[in-house]
Amino acid sequence: MQEDSKINILLVDDLLEGLTLLEAVLKNPDYNLVKANSGQEALRCLLDDDFALVLLDVQMPEFNGFEVAKAIKQREKSKDVPIIFVTAIHKDSDYVNMGYAVGAYDYIFKPFDPAILLAKVALFIEIHKKNEQIKKQAELIRQSGKMERERALAGLELESTQRYRNLADAIPHMVWQAQANGILDYVNRVWCSYTGLTAEQSIGKGWQSMIHPKDLELFLKQWDAAMTTGDSIECECRIKGVKDGYHWHLIRTVPQKREGGQIVSWLGTATDIDERKQVEYEMSQAREDAVKASRLKSDFLANISHEIRTPLNGVIGTADLLMGGVLGEEE
């Protein structure tokens, strides 16, 4: 119904001759004249398109012009559309006042002077154009302000990211970041220095080549579970160094969440715990050696006791017989 760059004007009259007359007078290449022959049809048109002006007949069956005007003003989309009543009756001041009360901007009585109608329509169209221009300027200002705010936020985000990465490079631990889906997208300098991989070689799944194969399966299992639950994880893995081979590291990951719980990224660290693991191993070996030595001591004492007890049993038995007088002197 609406044509680009043309201004919509709604003509409402239940009589065909009334619509035809209005159309003939207002014919203009800049206007898109939309005709409705009832109040109901007029309201449907106002739902579909935006109009600069409504020329509305008063005397219509079922739904008169006053009722249509009232309905137009009650709708949010059309409440500001100017209404001009065009009528051959209801010229009394009471009816005119009623028209203004329901939202009319003006009255034109039939038969009307085409020049007056054209002048009044042109005035409202000019007001409409100025209002549209003001709206566009306001929107441009709003968009400009929005873009400026977005640029400022982008600058702050970039500054924050750079500050975070400088901090990550300064600490003596491996630091990495992953997207919400778990794909690695950042590693710090400590990681690159330790593994010998560049940042480009590490992102995505490149980092997995540095994890000991026996530890990688367990870590990936926990990592996949965290993607579902959103929980932090902590595990110990061996990471291959470019100089000293595999070292044990404690890996921790925590989700970075927005308000509402939506995960936007993951932050992880890897801390070298190889010395601690070596001490734990040595202590474990010492405990095993102590248990083994204690067992050998017990076995040795048991064997010695058995070897000594066997010959002593005969001596003790003979002594018991002598003391009991069972063996005589002759014997």
Side-chain angles (χ1 to χ4, degrees), residues 174 176 191 194-195 207 210-212 215 237-242 244-251 269-271:
M174 299 182 195
W176 48 270
W191 167 273
Y194 178 81
T195 63
W207 60 274
M210 294 293 103
I211 309 296
H212 194 287
D215 304 329
C237 293
R238 285 164 286 184
I239 302 177
K240 187 176 182 181
V242 69
D244 302 324
Y246 287 105
H247 274 209
W248 281 100
H249 286 75
L250 176 63
I251 298 178
T269 61
T271 305

Side-chain angles (χ1 to χ4, degrees), residues 1-252:
M1 188 182 299
Q2 184 174 1
E3 299 179 31
D4 293 341
S5 74
K6 289 192 174 186
I7 296 174
N8 284 342
I9 300 175
L10 182 59
L11 312 178
V12 187
D13 197 321
D14 62 314
L15 299 177
L16 179 58
E17 55 267 30
L19 291 174
T20 303
L21 178 59
L22 289 173
E23 186 177 25
V25 172
L26 298 175
K27 188 175 182 180
N28 187 309
D30 294 331
Y31 298 165
N32 179 40
L33 303 175
V34 179
K35 295 178 289 184
N37 59 16
S38 70
Q40 289 87 343
E41 186 178 354
L43 293 176
R44 285 195 295 270
C45 292
L46 286 160
L47 284 176
D48 295 333
D49 288 297
D50 295 323
F51 289 87
L53 180 64
V54 177
L55 298 179
L56 179 60
D57 185 25
V58 175
Q59 186 65 29
M60 292 187 294
E62 296 183 4
F63 206 26
N64 66 45
F66 296 142
E67 294 170 326
V68 175
K70 188 175 181 180
I72 291 174
K73 294 303 176 181
Q74 287 175 342
R75 291 180 176 179
E76 184 64 29
K77 183 179 180 181
S78 59
K79 67 180 183 179
D80 296 324
V81 178
I83 299 172
I84 298 178
F85 280 123
V86 183
T87 181
I89 59 175
H90 302 308
K91 297 181 181 181
D92 293 341
S93 59
D94 290 342
Y95 285 104
V96 173
N97 291 335
M98 186 185 300
Y100 286 125
V102 295
Y105 279 57
D106 203 350
Y107 255 91
I108 294 179
F109 297 106
K110 299 177 184 179
F112 54 79
D113 184 337
I116 294 177
L117 176 62
L118 283 171
K120 290 191 175 185
V121 169
L123 176 62
F124 282 108
I125 295 303
E126 187 63 26
I127 293 172
H128 171 77
K129 288 180 178 179
K130 290 186 180 299
N131 287 337
E132 289 299 306
Q133 186 176 8
I134 291 171
K135 288 180 183 178
K136 288 180 180 179
Q137 290 174 344
E139 179 62 20
L140 287 174
I141 292 172
R142 190 186 70 81
Q143 289 292 340
S144 177
K146 181 181 178 182
M147 291 173 62
E148 187 61 34
R149 288 193 298 273
E150 288 176 349
R151 279 196 295 267
L153 287 173
L156 288 173
E157 184 176 354
L158 181 61
E159 181 181 351
S160 176
T161 299
Q162 189 58 49
R163 192 175 296 170
Y164 154 74
R165 294 191 174 184
N166 289 340
L167 176 62
D169 285 336
I171 63 177
H173 302 283
M174 299 182 195
V175 178
W176 48 270
Q177 181 176 285
Q179 300 170 14
N181 59 6
I183 300 299
L184 203 72
D185 60 4
Y186 167 76
V187 291
N188 71 341
R189 291 178 184 176
V190 178
W191 167 273
C192 296
S193 176
Y194 178 81
T195 63
L197 295 182
T198 65
E200 290 75 15
Q201 291 171 328
S202 302
I203 61 176
K205 294 185 178 181
W207 60 274
Q208 295 183 14
S209 62
M210 294 293 103
I211 309 296
H212 194 287
K214 290 184 179 180
D215 304 329
L216 180 62
E217 182 179 356
L218 175 61
F219 177 76
L220 291 179
K221 185 176 181 180
Q222 294 184 17
W223 188 229
D224 289 341
M227 294 298 103
T228 302
T229 63
D231 295 332
S232 302
I233 62 173
E234 182 176 303
C235 70
E236 297 177 353
C237 293
R238 285 164 286 184
I239 302 177
K240 187 176 182 181
V242 69
K243 296 179 181 179
D244 302 324
Y246 287 105
H247 274 209
W248 281 100
H249 286 75
L250 176 63
I251 298 178
R252 293 188 177 96

